[in-house]
Amino acid sequence: MSRFVDRRPVAGSDDLYRAHDAQRGRAVCALRMVHTTPARAAALRARMREAATLRHANLAHLVAVGTEDGAVAIAREWLAGSLARTISTPGDACRAMIDVLDAIELAHWHDLTHGDIRKEKFLVRDDGAVVLVDLGLEGQGTVQRDLRGVADALEDLGGALPEPMAQVVAATHQGAYPTARDLQRALQRALRSGGDGGGTALWARVRLRQ
């Protein structure tokens, strides 16, 4: 993993660095160093390599997975935009979760769960795409835990949710939706039923790309 040079610690994190990928000529990437036991390190590398095979616009692109100085080294694309700073209405928050649930459904089909979904795990690319980071990093996730994480993120990002969205959040915590696709459809219905809560130009740009 010596190809990642000019490393600079990311504020607020003990194991995340901003680095230059000398091999691919990328300006920057996010390099995470995970210190753990040999058995857990092997399992983590296997999960991350599986995650690296997934290609979706709403998943962070993994650049490399390896070992360095006894730690698991995981490099992904650099994403500087925080979704929390971009969202201004419940409608925006709901659209963001709808977009990302498509990627979560793909991961679940490949028997990969996230295990730590919260608002801090959603970042934004320069083109406006909402991206879920750290898929595969946690080893004890379940489908229902991921869906509850999405519901909590919607609540945290959207603030005072319109009643249709709030009902979907409550139903998620009761286990009403077996899959990410089911939750996605429920949120789409909530938007159509008048529970939009407003929207901004962010998702207009995203829709134009699609």
Side-chain angles (χ1 to χ4, degrees):
M1 302 293 280
S2 59
R3 69 192 246 200
F4 301 104
V5 298
D6 299 329
R7 302 179 186 184
R8 302 178 184 181
V10 174
S13 176
D14 295 329
D15 62 358
L16 189 63
Y17 300 85
R18 178 175 173 150
H20 178 78
D21 185 349
Q23 178 177 314
R24 298 194 178 189
R26 295 174 186 263
V28 288
C29 71
L31 180 66
R32 186 178 296 277
M33 307 296 290
V34 182
H35 295 269
T36 185
T37 66
R40 290 180 177 177
L44 174 58
R45 283 194 297 271
R47 289 196 306 273
M48 298 308 297
R49 285 169 179 158
E50 176 68 18
T53 66
L54 303 185
R55 293 289 182 268
H56 195 285
N58 301 110
L59 286 177
H61 300 152
L62 290 176
V63 178
V65 180
T67 303
E68 182 177 313
D69 297 331
V72 179
I74 304 162
R76 64 161 170 80
E77 63 176 313
W78 177 260
L79 297 160
S82 166
L83 182 59
R85 292 197 298 269
T86 305
I87 293 296
S88 61
T89 69
D92 280 349
C94 190
R95 291 182 181 89
M97 297 303 100
I98 288 171
D99 287 348
V100 176
L101 278 163
D102 194 57
I104 294 172
E105 175 76 0
L106 173 65
H108 289 172
W109 268 106
H110 287 264
D111 294 325
L112 280 171
T113 55
H114 191 287
D116 190 28
I117 293 180
R118 45 194 165 90
K119 67 178 182 180
E120 291 81 6
K121 298 297 183 179
F122 298 104
L123 301 179
V124 181
R125 289 197 185 98
D126 291 341
D127 64 2
V130 180
V131 179
L132 177 66
V133 301
D134 294 340
L135 175 67
L137 195 60
E138 298 291 331
Q140 302 299 320
T142 66
V143 169
Q144 286 303 308
R145 181 175 176 180
D146 282 357
L147 300 189
R148 289 193 298 270
V150 170
D152 289 343
L154 171 59
E155 203 165 35
D156 290 343
L157 292 165
L161 299 178
E163 185 60 25
M165 290 185 205
Q167 289 176 353
V168 173
V169 169
T172 304
H173 280 278
Q174 295 168 0
Y177 308 112
T179 70
R181 185 72 70 214
D182 293 320
L183 175 55
Q184 183 187 55
R185 289 168 177 162
L187 290 175
Q188 289 168 336
R189 289 194 296 270
L191 283 174
R192 289 197 298 267
S193 69
D196 189 302
T200 70
L202 171 65
W203 266 265
R205 294 200 305 272
V206 173
R207 295 306 175 205
L208 283 173
R209 286 191 302 104
Q210 296 174 346

